[in-house]
Amino acid sequence: MCLYLLRDISTYFPPTFFSNFILYNLSDGLWTSSGILILSSIWKNKKEQLPYGILFLIISLLFEFLQKYQLVIGYFDIIDIITILIFGLITIIINLKYSYKKVTADLAGHTLI
């Protein structure tokens, strides 16, 4: 629904890099971040989270490269790869930092809310 609304609005304004990024690239970054967060919610220990987060990031990038060689339906875009890398790495870093604080607080006998 929101995507259709954005496309309708974009017909009245000339396309810019920012509007094209929101329409075509942002979803890949958000998809990668949500996948990493879902996997990290399963494992509480950061040592267990890191390999699965990196694996999900690699799989996300693999799908983009498979589009380049037309093995998967879609259009290859270097901005998608950059977006996936930035969103994925930021999510992994923030998640590891939060997990570290939660584990050290639990060890000290306190809980974070």
Side-chain angles (χ1 to χ4, degrees):
M1 175 72 181
C2 186
L3 184 62
Y4 294 121
L5 181 63
L6 286 173
R7 286 187 180 163
D8 290 341
I9 292 171
S10 68
T11 58
Y12 298 108
F13 300 103
T16 62
F17 175 78
F18 183 70
S19 64
N20 285 338
F21 176 79
I22 290 175
L23 284 174
Y24 303 114
N25 305 108
L26 184 62
S27 60
D28 288 332
L30 293 174
W31 181 80
T32 302
S33 290
S34 65
I36 292 170
L37 288 173
I38 287 171
L39 287 177
S40 67
S41 68
I42 297 171
W43 291 276
K44 303 295 183 201
N45 187 355
K46 72 176 184 174
K47 290 180 182 178
E48 295 172 353
Q49 290 177 2
L50 185 61
Y52 291 107
I54 292 173
L55 180 65
F56 193 85
L57 182 61
I58 291 170
I59 290 171
S60 301
L61 291 170
L62 180 67
F63 275 111
E64 282 299 317
F65 284 111
L66 289 176
Q67 289 176 3
K68 181 177 183 177
Y69 299 108
Q70 299 176 350
L71 298 172
V72 173
I73 297 172
Y75 297 103
F76 175 78
D77 187 8
I78 192 71
I79 304 297
D80 282 342
I81 292 176
I82 293 169
T83 304
I84 289 170
L85 277 173
I86 290 173
F87 275 69
L89 291 175
I90 288 174
T91 304
I92 289 171
I93 290 168
I94 290 173
N95 200 19
L96 288 177
K97 189 171 185 176
Y98 170 74
S99 296
Y100 178 73
K101 286 182 180 179
K102 182 172 180 5
V103 169
T104 55
D106 287 343
L107 290 176
H110 304 285
T111 57
L112 294 176
I113 297 175

